[in-house]
Amino acid sequence: MEVCFLRGLLFLALTAWTLADDGQVTFVSELSSKPAQKLSKYGWYANVRLQRFQMPEETAVARWLFSVKKGHTFNCGQHNVTIHLRWGAPPVVNPTGSVFPNATLWSPSFSLILPVTSQSSTTFNLSDPAPGVWFVAAHLPEDDRRIEQKGFPSCSYFFQPQLSIRRAVDTPVLQQATPLTQTAAPDTPARLKLYVPEFASLLSISVTGCSSGEAAEVRNCSLLLTLGSASLQQGATTVNCSGTSCSVSLSSPPWDTWLRVVVESSQVNRTVTFTVVSNCTVGCKPKSVGLKADDDIAKLRGGSSNSSSAGNVSLASVFSNKSACVWSVPVLYEELDVLSLRFTPVSGPNVSVTDMHPTLLSYPLPPHATGGTLNLQLTLNSTNATMGNSSAVVACFSPWAPILNLKQARPCHTALFVGYSVGVNVSVPKTVIRLPFPQSTTWYLTLQLTCNSNCGNTSVVSVVPEVFISACVEDCGPYGECRLLRSYSYLYAACVCSAGWKGWGCTDGSTAQSLLRQVGATLLLTLSNLSFLPAIVVAMKRGYVTEASVYAFTMFFSTFYHACDQPGVAVLCIMDYDALQYCDFLGSVCAIWVTILCMARLRHTFKYTLFMLGALLIAMSMQLDRKGLWNLLGPVLCAILLMVITWVYRGVRRRHCYPPSWQRWVFFLLPGVLCALVGVCLYIFAETEDNYYYTHSIWHILVASCVVFLLPPKETFAEELSWSRGFSWSWSWSWSPRVCGYTLCQNNKDELYTVT
């Protein structure tokens, strides 16, 4: 299920139901809740728990409740949970303080710190939030890089966010140039909304006829006029009004959207009556250009060599018209793959730019593209035009509304949002910007040629704008891998780095491993598996051919699994990584299984039956959960239990401790058990990502040494095959009965091997 979403329309009439032109609206409440998720320490973006909330239109107040609860009873100390909140796209977080890739622009999101001991909660209230999707992200502090084995108890925290809202259902609409009389009380502000059409260049709101109903106070009614919504990154525009009138103007307002207007009164216990009116100015509207009903996209995008020149001619004809103020270039939208989109001008890659009027391209970004990276690459085509050092093409890449005047003091600022300025010239013919997790709206690219004095003959130049969505920044580079992540039905991407590299694009090498260390780590982890050679030799010498083959299998696949598992460039994969990992884990558990069963000294038929049955069950459990704790403990405990039962049975029958020789205990069993215990402690408690290459190598050596010590001596009276006598081309077999009384058959060393 995507969400445990409770949307209960409570329909609480918080104010009286009156007509809309009285300034009164009706409010309802809604509640949405998400399921609790286990938090992780931050290592990369996959450790962030991401949740989405849909904010309805005309929401007056939003209240988030963030709860964190411990999932265990033992004490883990106090941890701080960081909560990020962003509107329109997932928050870009950087808890490690790493360096972002070049030309990657981002702004920190709003964040809260919640200290947690056993159970904690906090609330966050936001008035007049922006409608749309809000993202909540939470994580624990930076990872200490300790490797925790799956199945062992550890500190766990669960995070659950909830959202309750209060929204209006009958907000009055402020029509263009139509006065509307409203009232505002101290606790009941007047709420209105108005529609901003496309190509609007100026929006003005005027409040007149302010009166509080008292003759002495008729010219002293204070009002607070707010235009827009709160999005945490960008705030609304607010004006304090005094007297009987005031106004506010927005240049370059957001296009094709509903805008919120809130008028509040600061008069104590008095209701203020006023008249509000809006005016929207369309300063520049291009001609009807673009595709027609009979246009063929293939022809428009065809490989004709005259396509760019044809575009220049048509542009020159448009600019020769005195009424033209902007040239709008139609753009083709192509969805290539998951989080892979491309925008291209339909007339070809080259776009003509002049100094007379700006050139405008629009890029509508769908909601599912917000989980990737928005890339803009602007290249000056020097073959189509000759530019001097005093000329440059300036551009503004802005959301919600374009900037049609690039020669102003703040050339890339709209009324409510901030764009990104770029430019190319002869010295810098190419520029790139990358925006991780862009907002879902229409992005506008405005281009214009600027000159210090007169552009002269350079009146039209050609540039190549490339806008596309990629999953990650530069595909995470050579030391990272781009991973596709999912939060319910929402997909997003992030880089997982290796070899000590870190950052949003794995470009921060402040803690990177050197090539020498990478090669050394690979050699240690692979060559340490050669310590199984003595175990294989001892097993073959003592006639344990099956056990020796299991050790050889384990040594081979462990060697090449660790050669393939290394970060950086010192990597060698002879087959699929998943297959190597499966064989390594299977061989390791089977090696422990057959060694303990061999120590039990069972009859051959029973022993080999258990070998095969155990191998099949281990293979099945590895397929179900490869890193589960009981996949290792289950076979080990069963084998130890079986070995203890057989040893106790023989000791009771002989009325003597088994094995009977104290040398066997002191020089073989106790050192073997000690090696096993030290290896297990290193494997479970001491491994970190920094010391893994030598602690895990010691684990290999200790496990192989443990096998050498624990393998029992050769079965002297066991049936000898050619494997134990040495290889020969001639093989014969004979049988003669062997009679023993109702006593135990022993060898010269007084050690039990066969029971008749």
Side-chain angles (χ1 to χ4, degrees):
M1 295 178 63
E2 179 180 352
V3 292
C4 296
F5 190 76
L6 304 176
R7 174 164 287 195
L9 292 181
L10 305 179
F11 288 99
L12 302 177
L14 304 177
T15 59
W17 184 282
T18 56
L19 295 177
D21 53 4
D22 289 334
Q24 304 278 333
V25 294
T26 301
F27 291 93
V28 297
S29 298
E30 298 180 7
L31 173 67
S32 60
S33 178
K34 304 291 182 179
Q37 288 185 321
K38 184 178 179 181
L39 295 176
S40 300
K41 294 182 178 180
Y42 185 85
W44 63 297
Y45 206 84
N47 304 126
V48 175
R49 297 296 170 257
L50 191 65
Q51 301 276 18
R52 292 187 302 162
F53 288 92
Q54 183 69 38
M55 191 71 66
E57 295 277 353
E58 306 169 18
T59 300
V61 178
R63 181 178 182 268
W64 274 276
L65 173 63
F66 303 120
S67 303
V68 179
K69 183 180 180 181
K70 288 178 62 175
H72 48 77
T73 57
F74 55 91
N75 183 25
C76 290
Q78 178 175 315
H79 288 79
N80 292 331
V81 176
T82 305
I83 304 170
H84 303 270
L85 199 61
R86 189 187 180 196
W87 169 62
V92 180
V93 301
N94 188 23
T96 60
S98 57
V99 178
F100 274 72
N102 294 331
T104 301
L105 308 178
W106 70 289
S107 58
S109 58
F110 178 81
S111 60
L112 299 169
I113 303 296
L114 178 60
V116 179
T117 52
S118 59
Q119 183 172 359
S120 302
S121 63
T122 186
T123 59
F124 175 71
N125 297 329
L126 184 62
S127 299
D128 300 318
V133 179
W134 285 76
F135 288 82
V136 176
H139 60 84
L140 291 172
E142 185 179 357
D143 190 8
D144 55 6
R145 300 179 64 82
R146 180 176 173 269
I147 299 177
E148 296 182 354
Q149 304 301 330
K150 185 177 179 181
F152 285 91
S154 61
C155 296
S156 58
Y157 297 89
F158 292 88
F159 172 73
Q160 183 176 23
Q162 291 179 330
L163 172 64
S164 59
I165 65 168
R166 180 172 177 260
R167 68 179 180 90
V169 295
D170 53 355
T171 303
V173 177
L174 187 59
Q175 301 290 346
Q176 168 79 6
T178 303
L180 186 64
T181 301
Q182 294 286 296
T183 59
D187 297 331
T188 309
R191 298 183 177 275
L192 310 167
K193 64 179 180 179
L194 60 91
Y195 179 74
V196 181
E198 285 194 77
F199 308 110
S201 59
L202 183 65
L203 175 66
S204 61
I205 306 293
S206 300
V207 175
T208 59
C210 176
S211 174
S212 61
E214 299 288 340
E217 303 289 340
V218 69
R219 295 187 176 275
N220 190 24
C221 50
S222 300
L223 291 175
L224 186 64
L225 178 60
T226 303
L227 191 58
S229 304
S231 61
L232 297 181
Q233 282 73 34
Q234 294 89 14
T237 300
T238 303
V239 175
N240 287 313
C241 301
S242 60
T244 59
S245 64
C246 71
S247 63
V248 59
S249 297
L250 299 181
S251 60
S252 301
W255 286 2
D256 191 22
T257 186
W258 287 93
L259 208 59
R260 185 177 303 171
V261 180
V262 180
V263 183
E264 301 175 77
S265 172
S266 59
Q267 294 289 331
V268 179
N269 297 327
R270 291 180 181 176
T271 301
V272 179
T273 303
F274 58 91
T275 300
V276 60
V277 64
S278 68
N279 288 285
C280 188
T281 303
V282 179
C284 182
K285 187 174 182 179
K287 286 189 171 185
S288 299
V289 296
L291 301 179
K292 300 178 183 178
D294 56 347
D295 281 340
D296 188 355
I297 296 180
K299 292 181 179 180
L300 289 171
R301 301 188 61 209
S304 175
S305 59
N306 298 325
S307 59
S308 60
S309 60
N312 292 338
V313 172
S314 61
L315 181 62
S317 63
V318 170
F319 286 136
S320 64
N321 189 345
K322 298 297 182 181
S323 62
C325 60
V326 64
W327 169 245
S328 181
V329 179
V331 175
L332 179 65
Y333 164 85
E334 295 179 282
E335 188 166 359
L336 305 177
D337 204 344
V338 179
L339 294 180
S340 179
L341 292 82
R342 183 174 62 187
F343 300 90
T344 54
V346 295
S347 58
N350 295 304
V351 173
S352 299
V353 182
T354 183
D355 64 328
M356 298 174 59
H357 302 290
T359 302
L360 179 63
L361 298 92
S362 59
Y363 305 96
L365 205 62
H368 63 267
T370 57
T373 301
L374 179 60
N375 302 267
L376 168 63
Q377 179 175 303
L378 191 63
T379 307
L380 179 65
N381 193 342
S382 58
T383 60
N384 292 342
T386 303
M387 292 179 58
N389 294 327
S390 61
S391 303
V393 175
V394 296
C396 179
F397 197 45
S398 60
W400 298 99
I403 304 297
L404 300 181
N405 184 10
L406 298 178
K407 298 181 180 180
Q408 57 185 351
R410 303 177 68 189
C412 205
H413 284 69
T414 64
L416 301 177
F417 302 94
V418 178
Y420 303 91
S421 298
V422 293
V424 290
N425 52 34
V426 176
S427 303
V428 185
K430 181 179 179 180
T431 184
V432 177
I433 61 171
R434 305 181 182 94
L435 306 176
F437 295 160
Q439 290 181 316
S440 174
T441 182
T442 300
W443 289 74
Y444 298 92
L445 178 63
T446 310
L447 304 164
Q448 191 167 5
L449 177 64
T450 61
C451 306
N452 291 339
S453 57
N454 187 7
C455 290
N457 295 329
T458 311
S459 59
V460 178
V461 297
S462 179
V463 296
V464 180
E466 297 180 55
V467 177
F468 59 94
I469 292 288
S470 62
C472 299
V473 176
E474 292 291 329
D475 202 23
C476 302
Y479 293 99
E481 181 182 355
C482 186
R483 298 280 183 87
L484 189 64
L485 308 175
R486 182 176 64 89
S487 174
Y488 303 104
S489 61
Y490 179 75
L491 298 177
Y492 56 104
C495 291
V496 54
C497 307
S498 59
W501 291 79
K502 61 181 182 178
W504 197 261
C506 300
T507 55
D508 188 348
S510 57
T511 59
Q513 299 178 7
S514 63
L515 179 61
L516 181 62
R517 181 177 178 181
Q518 295 179 41
V519 175
T522 303
L523 292 177
L524 272 176
L525 288 169
T526 54
L527 297 182
S528 60
N529 287 284
L530 297 179
S531 57
F532 274 96
L533 287 176
I536 296 173
V537 172
V538 170
M540 291 293 294
K541 186 176 180 181
R542 296 180 182 179
Y544 301 120
V545 180
T546 304
E547 291 82 345
S549 62
V550 174
Y551 302 149
F553 178 91
T554 304
M555 180 185 69
F556 178 84
F557 282 103
S558 179
T559 299
F560 287 100
Y561 164 66
H562 286 291
C564 185
D565 188 47
Q566 295 308 301
V569 296
V571 180
L572 174 63
C573 296
I574 62 172
M575 62 177 66
D576 182 67
Y577 173 83
D578 188 70
L580 288 172
Q581 185 187 65
Y582 179 83
C583 293
D584 173 51
F585 286 21
L586 176 64
S588 301
V589 180
C590 285
I592 300 174
W593 170 256
V594 300
T595 301
I596 300 176
L597 289 182
C598 186
M599 294 172 62
R601 308 303 290 267
L602 303 170
R603 292 183 181 273
H604 283 187
T605 302
F606 190 38
K607 182 178 74 171
Y608 292 123
T609 301
L610 289 178
F611 278 4
M612 180 60 67
L613 181 61
L616 294 175
L617 293 177
I618 293 170
M620 179 196 67
S621 63
M622 287 295 169
Q623 182 64 29
L624 295 176
D625 187 6
R626 195 166 301 174
K627 296 183 179 180
L629 174 63
W630 287 101
N631 288 340
L632 175 63
L633 288 183
V636 170
L637 294 179
C638 291
I640 290 178
L641 179 63
L642 188 59
M643 182 190 70
V644 170
I645 291 175
T646 56
W647 283 14
V648 170
Y649 173 76
R650 292 174 181 175
V652 170
R653 291 200 60 181
R654 294 187 58 221
R655 300 181 182 276
H656 195 279
C657 181
Y658 183 84
S661 173
W662 65 269
Q663 293 93 341
R664 181 70 186 167
W665 283 94
V666 173
F667 297 111
F668 294 95
L669 295 181
L670 292 181
V673 172
L674 182 62
C675 288
L677 290 177
V678 173
V680 169
C681 291
L682 280 176
Y683 183 78
I684 296 176
F685 303 109
E687 283 188 355
T688 65
E689 294 184 10
D690 296 324
N691 65 16
Y692 175 80
Y693 67 97
Y694 59 83
T695 54
H696 201 75
S697 300
I698 297 174
W699 154 260
H700 289 164
I701 297 173
L702 290 174
V703 170
S705 302
C706 168
V707 172
V708 173
F709 283 112
L710 295 181
L711 274 178
K714 184 178 181 180
E715 298 182 6
T716 306
F717 296 105
E719 180 181 347
E720 293 188 353
L721 298 178
S722 59
W723 284 99
S724 60
R725 295 201 309 260
F727 182 78
S728 175
W729 288 104
S730 60
W731 181 81
S732 60
W733 176 81
S734 62
W735 174 86
S736 60
R738 178 168 175 263
V739 180
C740 289
Y742 191 70
T743 59
L744 301 178
C745 296
Q746 302 179 0
N747 65 351
N748 295 331
K749 295 183 180 180
D750 196 29
E751 185 166 355
L752 176 64
Y753 290 99
T754 308
V755 179
T756 60

